[in-house]
Amino acid sequence: MTDPRAPRHRILGIDPGSRNTGFGVIDSDGHHSVRVASGCIRVGAHPWPDRLGLIFDRVAAIVAEYRPHEMAVEQLIFARDPTAALKIGQARGAVLCAGLKGGAIVHEYSPKSVKLAVVGSGGADKSQVQHMVRVLLALPETPDEDEADALAIALCHAHSMGIPARKRAAASWRDWRP
């Protein structure tokens, strides 16, 4: 007989970046989550078009290996540098295409929503996110920033399971509309 508390959903969290793309795979039932794999895809030394291809290929390989049911990706809210925003947007496109091609259902979350779900404050800093990811997943050591962000995105989605998409997309309780 299976334990009713056994994790049932495999979620891939992705923190897209133009040089470093964090990823985190968790199994979760919405209340209990376990890290399956995590790390960082580093493509910074390659020419720009090659980086996009590497991001796509590596995310596609992660999707093929771990077969997540769902993929949660951080939204690009704003960037001070338009060129950086465009590159991050293109990296997000490569990530989204790789996930969709692999059959994952894709969800997007704002950075504020992720911090609120994992830390309890939409204005949390990177070290607070790293700490809470370590605590929530009972990790033996603190993950690096990109890896922690990706795991936090996956946890955000795990905590949001069962909530309609129009309500879970709110960045804070002030944004929520019934």
Side-chain angles (χ1 to χ4, degrees), residues 10 20 25-26 62 96 115 126 142 173:
R10 179 150 292 175
N20 300 316
V25 180
I26 65 170
I62 291 165
L96 294 172
K115 293 173 185 177
K126 294 273 188 189
T142 303
W173 65 270

Side-chain angles (χ1 to χ4, degrees), residues 149-173:
D149 286 348
L151 288 166
I153 294 162
L155 285 167
C156 174
H157 181 67
H159 296 165
S160 300
M161 290 191 309
I163 300 172
R166 65 181 170 71
K167 292 183 183 177
R168 82 168 103 93
S172 79
W173 65 270

Side-chain angles (χ1 to χ4, degrees), residues 12 58-68 71 98-99 101-104:
L12 169 61
R58 291 182 186 167
V59 171
I62 291 165
V63 170
E65 181 176 353
Y66 295 104
R67 302 197 177 276
M71 183 169 85
K101 182 181 178 196

Side-chain angles (χ1 to χ4, degrees), residues 1 6 15 18-19 21 25 43 51 54 56 60 65 76 89 107 111 114 118 124 133-134 138 147 150 154-155 158 164:
M1 183 166 171
D15 178 29
S18 60
R19 294 185 181 273
T21 294
V25 180
V43 296
R51 288 187 216 173
L54 288 168
F56 176 87
E65 181 176 353
L76 175 62
H107 304 272
V114 173
V118 175
V133 164
R134 181 178 183 193
E147 183 179 358
L155 285 167

Side-chain angles (χ1 to χ4, degrees), residues 27-112:
D27 283 341
S28 182
D29 65 359
H31 300 289
H32 302 91
S33 299
V34 177
R35 175 178 67 173
V36 174
S38 60
C40 189
I41 301 166
R42 300 187 193 284
V43 296
H46 298 279
W48 178 243
D50 295 342
R51 288 187 216 173
L52 291 175
L54 288 168
I55 292 168
F56 176 87
D57 289 343
R58 291 182 186 167
V59 171
I62 291 165
V63 170
E65 181 176 353
Y66 295 104
R67 302 197 177 276
H69 302 107
E70 299 174 270
M71 183 169 85
V73 181
E74 188 171 74
Q75 293 174 335
L76 175 62
I77 300 300
F78 73 93
R80 292 186 180 132
D81 178 6
T83 303
L86 183 59
K87 286 185 175 183
I88 292 171
Q90 291 171 338
R92 284 185 79 253
V95 164
L96 294 172
C97 288
L100 290 168
K101 182 181 178 196
I105 299 167
V106 177
H107 304 272
E108 298 178 278
Y109 294 92
S110 72
K112 197 173 197 176

